[in-house]
Amino acid sequence: MAVSEWSEDQLNAAFAALADPVRRALIARLSRSPATVNELAEPFPITKQAVSKHIQVLEQAGLITRTRNGQRRPCHLDPAALEAVTGWIDKQRLIAEQRFRRLDAVLEILKEKEP
């Protein structure tokens, strides 16, 4: 999904979900391959129920999906959703860079005018 297709509410939900370090670690883990809740919970000193709640937040934010494979319910990173979030960040970065370039140009002109 393109950045322009994501609503402000969707972006807010995604950024709120990514504000938590456990959820960012889950996203990082899922970027390598799909995993079950048990597999995702393994490295954390929290309960599987707590990991499940983090997964629900990521799912509600649209950052991950779950599929059913027999009795397994692996979680998958949604690359399009992550692309929408990073696209928004890139857009803001480009705007800031343009402003800094304009400021640099003005400062250079002022510097040249100094006695």
Side-chain angles (χ1 to χ4, degrees), residues 26 36-49 51-52 55:
L26 292 171
T36 64
V37 172
N38 288 340
E39 293 165 340
L40 291 170
E42 199 173 291
F44 296 103
I46 58 177
T47 65
K48 287 179 189 166
Q49 291 78 15
V51 171
S52 287
I55 289 169

Side-chain angles (χ1 to χ4, degrees), residues 39-97:
E39 293 165 340
L40 291 170
E42 199 173 291
F44 296 103
I46 58 177
T47 65
K48 287 179 189 166
Q49 291 78 15
V51 171
S52 287
K53 287 183 182 184
H54 285 295
I55 289 169
Q56 286 175 345
V57 171
L58 291 169
E59 233 179 336
Q60 290 169 351
L63 296 170
I64 68 169
T65 59
R66 284 199 248 189
T67 57
R68 186 173 295 278
N69 183 2
Q71 291 201 347
R72 289 179 41 112
R73 292 203 58 209
C75 300
H76 306 266
L77 181 63
D78 183 344
L82 206 52
E83 180 65 31
V85 172
T86 57
W88 183 90
I89 292 170
D90 285 344
K91 181 179 173 186
Q92 304 314 308
R93 181 186 50 79
L94 289 173
I95 291 168
E97 284 178 3

